[in-house]
Amino acid sequence: MKLKGLRWWIIGLIGLATIINYIDRSALAIMWPSIAEDLGMTKNDYALILNVFMVAYAVGQSVSGKLFDKIGTRMGYVVVIIVWGLSSFFHSMARGILSFSFLRVTLGLGEAGNWPGAAKSNAEWFPIKERAIAQGIFNAGASVGSVVAPPLIALLWAAFGWQVTFMFVGSFGLIWLIPWLIINRQGVDKHPWLTDLERQYIKEGQHKADQDTETKGKSIGQILRHKESWSVLIGRFFLEPIWWLFVGWMPLYLADVYGFDVKQIGFFAWVPYVGAAVGSIAGGWYSGRLMSKGHSVNRSRKTTIVIGAALMFLGLVVTILFADTPEKFVGIVALVLFGFQFAISNVQTIPSDLFSGKSVGSLAGFGGTVGVFSVIVMNTLVPIISEISYTPIFVMIAVFVPLGVGAIYFFAPKIKSVEEN
């Protein structure tokens, strides 16, 4: 049996896992007004629980990056999805800040693996010119999950309450493992369903180092000796808070500023992620199109990143000045998240531009860890600043946009493989 386009089936499954990932992580924020009322919890409790998740998520990015480099993407995904699926399910039994915090730790450790795992899988299954579109498909899963989560969770909550809703969403990832283990049977070299033509196409479009299965991956210390690696770390440090501000705080913003309940949040909160989903695909497609026209990886990546950054910055400025109704707010945020995903698919692909598959997961994971620490700082500040106004928060992340892009240009004057120099 041969399956044409097997690489697209693989990234499609990872995209589906990402949808489930975001449904699981969004459930707490969307249902928080109801949970807080039932259990007598506060916004400060929520901020603490959110930061506990982010610390675990930061640690999980680096740990899982090494895990995927060591045991491979097939079994790596089995481990992380079992951890996050069971963690999400057992949220149904949480009764206070300690139990929620413990479950958010295990959820963060598991969910973090999705990102370095996807970056590593894309380096294995795609030629260089298709990696950004593959990353875009994967990132679109985060956006689609954020589109699906508010109405889905609001409907489940209305029908069953928050405890049973956690049971439903926690089971999704465990069911996903069935097609994953069936379809992702082997790597590119040995997969029995991969056609010879597709195998040749993949391998001819990769770095020579990607095809060396014997060489051990580099340690983090060895990776960071290359200046170009810091473009990933510093770039993500400044850019990640933009996405996470809206993922973590938009439901509470809608509740605080417009007095929304869970059903109203479910009706509005999905809208910006439509823009994000389109931006994910568009950013990957655009950089691949530039490469197909003969432009270098360096020019293609950076041009796409700059366009996305310009849209982010413009959208954040407009949010500050003109978002005076919920309709305007979610519409403008859709532009911000379109720009973010247009750019970030290419930022997250840089590890596979610089290193071979044996080291990609490690750099991608460590980059995620660094990015998450800036998110933790932001999450600490938001409940304090928002007591007065959300405007300074939007100003702060608007300033982060040029800082993130500038870091990529400074540390990686030319994006290219550092292993073939």
Side-chain angles (χ1 to χ4, degrees):
M1 171 178 163
K2 300 293 182 182
L3 187 61
K4 290 184 178 180
L6 182 60
R7 67 192 187 281
W8 300 108
W9 285 86
I10 299 292
I11 192 58
L13 279 173
I14 293 175
L16 179 59
T18 311
I19 293 173
I20 296 168
N21 187 298
Y22 263 79
I23 292 172
D24 285 355
R25 78 173 59 182
S26 301
L28 181 68
I30 293 166
M31 295 190 292
W32 183 255
S34 176
I35 295 169
E37 183 178 354
D38 283 355
L39 301 179
M41 302 180 77
T42 68
K43 187 193 292 186
N44 285 332
D45 292 333
Y46 175 78
L48 177 60
I49 292 168
L50 189 60
N51 267 347
V52 166
F53 171 83
M54 296 309 303
V55 170
Y57 192 81
V59 173
Q61 290 264 344
S62 291
V63 171
S64 59
K66 280 294 183 185
L67 173 73
F68 276 91
D69 281 340
K70 186 174 182 63
I71 69 174
T73 53
R74 185 175 189 262
M75 293 310 299
Y77 265 104
V78 172
V79 172
V80 300
I81 288 189
I82 287 175
V83 172
W84 100 51
L86 291 176
S87 299
S88 182
F89 184 94
F90 284 116
H91 273 61
S92 60
M93 301 179 185
R95 292 296 178 267
I97 193 165
L98 290 178
S99 51
F100 271 117
S101 296
F102 173 77
L103 290 167
R104 295 311 275 188
V105 166
T106 54
L107 183 72
L109 291 172
E111 288 201 332
N114 198 41
W115 271 256
K120 180 174 176 60
S121 180
N122 290 345
E124 293 170 347
W125 280 94
F126 287 87
I128 294 168
K129 67 180 181 180
E130 289 183 349
R131 286 179 185 170
I133 185 64
Q135 192 73 20
I137 292 170
F138 157 70
N139 278 336
S143 306
V144 173
S146 298
V147 170
V148 171
L152 173 64
I153 291 168
L155 287 171
L156 290 171
W157 171 83
F160 304 108
W162 61 268
Q163 292 99 332
V164 175
T165 299
F166 277 122
M167 293 181 185
F168 271 112
V169 300
S171 65
F172 294 161
L174 303 177
I175 296 170
W176 175 91
L177 289 172
I178 298 170
W180 174 254
L181 290 171
I182 292 171
I183 293 175
N184 192 12
R185 301 163 66 91
Q186 293 281 350
V188 172
D189 287 330
K190 298 181 180 179
H191 201 298
W193 295 359
L194 188 64
T195 66
D196 292 338
L197 186 63
E198 185 176 8
R199 182 179 286 109
Q200 180 181 0
Y201 174 75
I202 292 169
K203 295 177 80 66
E204 285 181 351
Q206 295 177 329
H207 296 307
K208 292 178 181 177
D210 284 323
Q211 300 168 28
D212 185 356
T213 59
E214 301 300 324
T215 303
K216 290 179 63 177
K218 298 180 184 298
S219 68
I220 288 294
Q222 290 172 319
I223 289 171
L224 296 185
R225 288 173 195 158
H226 296 276
K227 178 183 176 183
E228 293 86 352
S229 299
W230 290 87
S231 68
V232 177
L233 307 186
I234 307 302
R236 292 190 67 177
F237 179 87
F238 285 117
L239 296 177
E240 293 287 341
I242 299 166
W243 174 259
W244 283 97
L245 175 68
F246 296 106
V247 170
W249 291 96
M250 185 164 59
L252 275 72
Y253 177 89
L254 292 171
D256 286 348
V257 176
Y258 302 111
F260 281 12
D261 60 20
V262 172
K263 288 183 180 179
Q264 290 170 308
I265 291 170
F267 185 75
F268 273 84
W270 62 272
V271 174
Y273 298 104
V274 175
V278 175
S280 296
I281 304 297
W285 169 82
Y286 185 69
S287 64
R289 183 170 180 267
L290 291 178
M291 289 183 212
S292 296
K293 287 187 170 184
H295 295 296
S296 66
V297 171
N298 178 68
R299 181 174 178 182
S300 301
R301 295 273 185 261
K302 288 180 177 175
T303 299
T304 309
I305 290 167
V306 167
I307 292 171
L311 293 173
M312 273 188 278
F313 186 81
L314 174 64
L316 288 166
V317 171
V318 174
T319 300
I320 295 164
L321 298 177
F322 300 109
D324 54 358
T325 68
E327 293 82 5
K328 287 182 182 178
F329 176 76
V330 296
I332 296 166
V333 173
L335 175 65
V336 175
L337 297 188
F338 175 94
F340 177 87
Q341 291 292 355
F342 194 90
I344 204 68
S345 295
N346 286 270
V347 176
Q348 292 173 341
T349 307
I350 292 174
S352 66
D353 296 327
L354 302 178
F355 294 98
S356 69
K358 290 280 187 177
S359 303
V360 170
S362 297
L363 178 56
F366 193 58
T369 296
V370 172
V372 168
F373 276 115
S374 67
V375 177
I376 292 169
V377 174
M378 180 195 70
N379 286 338
T380 303
L381 296 175
V382 167
I384 300 170
I385 297 172
S386 64
E387 289 297 320
I388 302 169
S389 171
Y390 280 87
T391 299
I393 301 164
F394 293 129
V395 171
M396 177 180 69
I397 62 173
V399 172
F400 281 2
V401 175
L403 292 175
V405 175
I408 293 169
Y409 272 82
F410 177 79
F411 289 104
K414 189 170 184 180
I415 298 171
K416 62 179 183 177
S417 173
V418 298
E419 295 180 322
E420 296 180 9
N421 292 343

